[in-house]
Amino acid sequence: MVVHELEHYLKISNCDVLRPFFMSIVSDSNHWMFLSSNGGITAGRKNPEFALFPYYTDDKITESADLTGSKSIFQIHLPGEVLVWEPFSERFSDRYAVSRNLYKSIHGNKIIFEEINRDLDLTFRYQWNSSKVFGFVRKAELLNTSGTDYRITLVDGIQNILPHGVPSALQATTSNLVDAYKRSELEPSTGIGMYALSAIIVDKAEPSEALKANIAWSLGLENATYLLASRQLDAFRQRRPVQGEHDVKGEKGAYFVSTDILLAGHSGKKWTIVANVNQSHAQIIGLCQAIRANTGLGQQIQADIDAGTQNLIQLVASADGLQGSSDKLNDTRHFSNVLFNIMRGGIFDDNYRIEKADFVRYLHRANRTVVAGNQDFIGRLADVFSLSELKSRLLESGDADLIRLGREYLPLKFSRRHGDPSRPWNYFTINTQNETDGSKILDYEGNWRDLFQNWEALACSYPEFVAGMIFKFLNASTFDGYNPYRVTKDGFDWETIEPDNPWSYIGYWGDHQIIYLQKLLEIMERYQPGALQACFDQDWFVYAAVPYVIKPYDQLLKNPKDTIEFDHRWDAAIRARRAALGADGALLTAENDEIYRVNFLEKILATVLAKVSNLIPEAGIWMNTQRPEWNDANNALVGNGVSMVTLYYLHRFLKFFKNALDTSDIENIKISGELVEFYHSVRETLLEHRPLLAQNISDEDRKTILDRMGMAASDYRQRIYQNGFGAKSAAYPCRDCGISLR
């Protein structure tokens, strides 16, 4: 660990000796940046559609290090000769004795590349920073550690800059066509490079004007000549001068600054290049005025960088990520773990304070009918209110759907789905600020396992929100006991059949579903004893409508890798209802087309029965919904099979609920009649074969038990698929809701 400009960095010396490795550089805002240790880079804001450098897979990023991102070339004028030095390039690796070092900020938001030329006693380093206001800030520094004065001509900058308005898929598949539409222009009085399309690339006989641009500009170098493409670099390497460029068409964009500097012995020179994406005419004109005014622009940039670092620290601190011990490396590791946890699952915006504007927007997107029927409730909310106040007001309303939605509401920010160039099928978006006015956005989204896994740690920092996490978990699960693919602030999503997409595949991700819920339940019981039991008989819960139809049991046996049919008509109906009503349109409805509401214990029972009905005695829980048990090493290898991990967690889950039911005062509870029949079939099978389950069991008996429970589950599913839910059992004994596997 080293200190640079009063900040701590982790240093890798002689990094070029290692095989190139991949890194991510984070920010407190919506920047994304992925780099190879050889300098290859992709970066942008929000998502790959707002890229500054092309968003490719990590192998291509590493391979394009000489063509994309930072590039610096120096002509060192000595008596009688001119030497050329190109740091971080393999062109000159055998000409000088050099060493290369890499420094990453302990906060993960800055990276420094350094090359030391021991023959010339020169050191060049450049650093990537992020600024919420200005974009990406590349600082450069050239140090003369010799006692000799050097006159140096330099070309320094960034290359392969994308114009605004190029979709990532178009760049990946048709980059040559994109090049033909590129236009790079210079605003000569300020040195701003503007990178736009001559027209939006569409295959229609209609005009489509490109109205925004990506930009780059610089500070710190006087009497500069600007280049807007890389085509003169070879001439400069051959010691020839370069000519300024003002308008370049049909070429990959670049921004280079060229000038002469006199670098005295034991001195240095610093300069800065700033780049941003998605800039309008008004924003560029405003920047031109700021550059011409020259009123401390460099200080403003540094202040915004520093503010971003402090905000990032504050975000991590909010999730208990700051740790002070005698082991600084361990403290840094903890900071990094928490940082990536909240980048996935999000962090609460203002502790337990809630802004009315965001809460009401959330309600509108969830259920417009509920909003229309609760105008008085909404009108009485203050502009900012506490979570405890919201809970009290919700209970007073008596509206089951409003209570459900209010309890599910989680004012999270900073979340994004996992996605990076090593896994390009996971499309990420960092939805933290409004693209128009820069105002904050509260949002979260993630694959089911990723989100709830990250919320487990977050719940320990914000235990009052754990009930909302549990509500979200249960209300996004299906009547047959499984969960959809992705959970978002505005509901949930599922994978669909795409005939032309080889990555398209459907299935339920049921792996470790039990333990994710169990951890949240245990946290709630630890911090709020008794609160769980208060939810047992409340009809605040629903079933997610996912257009997957699990095949009948006999067909599961025939081909356990082809077990689900995608119901296109059901999918269309759900989407139409969701468009009309809001996110609640993707919930299961009763015969009267109203949302079908159930209580907490019914949701738990449905989840438990889905696992128990797939029990293979002496083996585990049969995973037969076309998705593997990824984290169980054995099943990760076979793809489909049985999971002992899920069985063990199910045992823990049932023990927890036995204790919870024993401490509850509820005697009877309403349960859907179809689920009651399912439960009795499973329970009777287990009771009938209880002696066999306590000893070694034959293959024949094992198959008999599996058939009985598998058919019970199949009959239950087919009945609901065909007819939906009917009446509920009026008074079902609460303590009979437990299932013993012993």
Side-chain angles (χ1 to χ4, degrees), residues 31 147 165 180 186 311 324 419 456 472 554 567 590 618 721 724 742:
H31 306 77
L186 182 74
N311 191 39
E456 176 193 334
K472 188 71 176 180
D554 59 338
D567 191 325
E618 295 187 328
Y721 290 149
R742 297 192 174 200

Side-chain angles (χ1 to χ4, degrees), residues 510-517 629 631-632 643 645-646 649:
D511 59 334
H512 291 203
Q513 184 186 20
I514 288 290
I515 191 54
Y516 291 163
L517 178 57
E629 180 86 354
N631 296 324
D632 182 344
S643 170
V645 172
T646 302
Y649 284 144

Side-chain angles (χ1 to χ4, degrees), residues 154 419 532 681 735:
L154 64 86
L532 198 61
S681 295
R735 283 165 181 77

Side-chain angles (χ1 to χ4, degrees), residues 143-160:
L143 299 173
N144 181 0
T145 57
S146 74
T148 304
D149 295 348
Y150 283 135
R151 183 171 73 86
I152 298 174
T153 304
L154 64 86
V155 167
D156 176 77
I158 52 179
Q159 54 182 351
N160 203 4

Side-chain angles (χ1 to χ4, degrees), residues 129-204:
N129 305 263
S130 61
S131 161
K132 183 176 181 180
V133 174
F134 296 98
F136 294 93
V137 182
R138 177 187 174 274
K139 296 180 181 179
E141 182 177 16
L142 183 62
L143 299 173
N144 181 0
T145 57
S146 74
T148 304
D149 295 348
Y150 283 135
R151 183 171 73 86
I152 298 174
T153 304
L154 64 86
V155 167
D156 176 77
I158 52 179
Q159 54 182 351
N160 203 4
I161 301 172
L162 280 177
H164 174 77
V166 179
S168 57
L170 186 67
Q171 173 65 24
T173 59
T174 325
S175 56
N176 190 54
L177 176 64
V178 174
D179 284 350
Y181 279 77
K182 290 177 180 177
R183 183 173 185 179
S184 306
E185 298 179 83
L186 182 74
E187 202 294 306
S189 67
T190 58
I192 296 178
M194 297 167 287
Y195 306 87
L197 295 170
S198 58
I200 298 296
I201 305 174
V202 294
D203 191 22
K204 294 181 180 180

